[in-house]
Each structure stands twice: as structure tokens, then as C-alpha cells.
Amino acid sequence: MVSGDIARTVVGIIGNVIALVLFLSPVPTFVRICKKKSVEQYSAVPYLATFINCALWVLYGLPMVHPNSTLVVTINGTGFVIEVVFLLLFIAYSDPKKRLKVVVIVVVESLSVAVLALLVLTLAHTTKLRSAVVGSICMAANIMMYASPLAVMKLVITTKSVEFMPFFLSLASFANGISWTAYALIRFDPFIAAPNGMGSLLGLAQLILYATFYKSTKRQLAERKARGEVGLTEKAANGHTKSTTIVAIDGSRPSSESEALDV
């Protein structure tokens, strides 16, 4: 009979692997950015959101805040380092105005997490209270982040195209949500279970949309190719071209910008 602790460890390791795949999913985008030496129309929002979420979940998983959460710290610590690299590249290849904005947001986010850590560790004297405070903030941030794919899902329904909703990213997001929900349920942790349960449902919805509009997307791409057109753009409400997806992971990430259809 497998004990609960062993099962939780195994599920957590699986969650770490899947989450790492999600963290690394923007690598092709940054290869393109480095080659072009420009961030073009890409948004820094996914990386900024992932940066602060990873930092918050590392804080949550510390032994003095929430004991027995080593696997939460390992994956979010890794994600934090990855996002630092992405943000440095984004800053390096941005125009001066965008660069300043990103730097200011990174500084504000870093100070916010530092102040939270200082207040929690000095004013809250039990791990139960510290877990509740930090966990509530992490959960609220993730729920807001998990709502972000709704914009892309709306785009898919409107255009009948999944060009900007890559299949493998949606599949990995779904699997990630399932694994971390299971991890949280083995030794019940509502702060991890709630956002990842929601993420699982949204991931499933994306997969259903992908199955529904895959054929129509192939048809649209073939028609555009025949006309010599390249790419599909979304006209945002403010008149700028924009398409961004954020994916949260294990209460941490999560984010990813638009990419081409996986075929």
C-alpha cells in the first residue's frame, strides 16, 4: 500500500516536470527575438506575471511559512530563474520606453514580495497564520491569471481559428492543472487546489475548442497561403495588434504569448 506522503511526492515530481515544460515553452519566441534583435509586438505581461507568481510561491513553500512543500519551492525557484533570464532578454531587445516600463514593474514586484516576506516573517508567529496570509495572496493572484486565457478563447470562437492557441501548450496546461490539483488533494492544501482545479477546467475547455476549430483553422491557413498572406492578427479594442495567453502553474505560472498553430 503506497503511503500518502509517497504518492504526494510522486505526483509533485510529475508536476515539476510538466511545469518545467510550461516554463520553457517561450524559448522559441526568445530565439526569434534574439535573431531579430527586437521584441516586436510581444508583450512582457506573461513574464512579469510569472516572475512575481514564482516569487510568491517560493515564499509560500519555505519551511518557516508552509512546511513540507519542498516540491513547490523547487519548481517555482526554477521558474523564477527562467523568468529572470526571459525578462533580461526582453529588456535588452526592447525600445527605451518599453524597457523603462518593464524595469519599473520588475522593481515594484520585487519590492512588494520583499515587503510581504518581511511582514509575514516578523508579524505572523505561526506557520498556520503565515501559510494563510501568503497562500491567500498566491491564490488570488493565480485566479486572476487563470482568467487570462478567456481572452484567447474568445478570439478562437470569434475567428474560428486556434492559430494562437497552441495544442501542446494547452495540453501541458491541462496536465499541469490536474497533477497539482491531485498533489494538493492528497494532503489537502486549498491554496494550491483551488487555482489549479480552475486551471484544469480551463485547460480542458481549450482542448475542446482546439478539437472543434482545428479543421477550420487548417482551412483558413491554406486559404491565406494560397492568397500569399501570412499570419492572423487580432485587432484589440484600443486599435493595437495583440494576442497574449497566460498560463499559471502549480499556483505559479504561468504564462505564454501567442505562437503559431501546432500541426
Side-chain angles (χ1 to χ4, degrees), residues 93-237:
Y93 292 112
S94 296
D95 59 75
K97 184 178 179 180
K98 184 178 289 187
R99 181 181 299 123
L100 178 61
K101 184 177 180 180
V102 173
V103 169
V104 169
I105 293 174
V106 168
V107 171
V108 170
E109 289 183 341
S110 300
L111 289 175
S112 298
V113 175
V115 170
L116 175 63
L118 180 63
L119 292 176
V120 167
L121 295 176
T122 56
L123 300 180
H125 302 295
T126 65
T127 55
K128 183 177 180 179
L129 180 57
R130 291 171 180 171
S131 296
V133 173
V134 179
S136 297
I137 294 172
C138 291
M139 185 170 65
N142 274 338
I143 288 175
M144 288 188 290
M145 286 181 64
Y146 266 129
S148 63
L150 294 176
V152 176
M153 293 166 70
K154 180 182 178 182
L155 175 64
V156 170
I157 295 171
T158 302
T159 62
K160 301 186 186 306
S161 171
V162 292
E163 184 175 1
F164 287 108
M165 192 174 71
F167 172 75
F168 290 110
L169 186 58
S170 297
L171 179 62
S173 298
F174 173 68
N176 183 74
I178 290 291
S179 63
W180 285 103
T181 300
Y183 174 88
L185 292 177
I186 292 173
R187 181 185 291 168
F188 188 61
D189 187 331
F191 303 115
I192 295 178
N196 284 284
M198 182 183 296
S200 300
L201 293 176
L202 284 172
L204 178 60
Q206 290 180 54
L207 293 176
I208 292 173
L209 284 177
Y210 197 95
T212 302
F213 295 113
Y214 178 77
K215 289 185 178 180
S216 64
T217 305
K218 295 280 285 185
R219 186 164 55 251
Q220 289 181 37
L221 290 174
E223 290 173 354
R224 288 213 311 274
K225 185 176 181 181
R227 294 196 303 266
E229 297 178 4
V230 180
L232 169 70
T233 59
E234 172 207 358
K235 214 51 171 168

Side-chain angles (χ1 to χ4, degrees), residues 9-164:
T9 300
V10 171
V11 172
I13 291 173
I14 294 172
N16 269 238
V17 173
I18 297 173
L20 182 60
V21 172
L22 283 174
F23 279 130
L24 293 174
S25 62
V27 167
T29 295
F30 278 91
V31 170
R32 171 176 171 167
I33 288 173
C34 290
K35 287 181 177 178
K36 290 182 173 289
K37 299 186 183 304
S38 171
V39 298
E40 300 177 288
Q41 296 300 315
Y42 288 112
S43 170
V45 171
Y47 317 109
L48 292 168
T50 305
F51 173 80
I52 189 169
N53 268 268
C54 285
L56 286 170
W57 281 100
V58 168
L59 176 60
Y60 176 80
L62 293 177
M64 65 284 291
V65 176
H66 193 78
N68 304 312
S69 298
T70 302
L71 291 173
V72 174
V73 174
T74 55
I75 188 55
N76 285 288
T78 302
F80 181 82
V81 173
I82 291 172
E83 296 309 315
V84 168
V85 173
F86 286 163
L87 284 170
L88 288 175
L89 289 173
F90 200 95
I91 291 170
Y93 292 112
S94 296
D95 59 75
K97 184 178 179 180
K98 184 178 289 187
R99 181 181 299 123
L100 178 61
K101 184 177 180 180
V102 173
V103 169
V104 169
I105 293 174
V106 168
V107 171
V108 170
E109 289 183 341
S110 300
L111 289 175
S112 298
V113 175
V115 170
L116 175 63
L118 180 63
L119 292 176
V120 167
L121 295 176
T122 56
L123 300 180
H125 302 295
T126 65
T127 55
K128 183 177 180 179
L129 180 57
R130 291 171 180 171
S131 296
V133 173
V134 179
S136 297
I137 294 172
C138 291
M139 185 170 65
N142 274 338
I143 288 175
M144 288 188 290
M145 286 181 64
Y146 266 129
S148 63
L150 294 176
V152 176
M153 293 166 70
K154 180 182 178 182
L155 175 64
V156 170
I157 295 171
T158 302
T159 62
K160 301 186 186 306
S161 171
V162 292
E163 184 175 1
F164 287 108

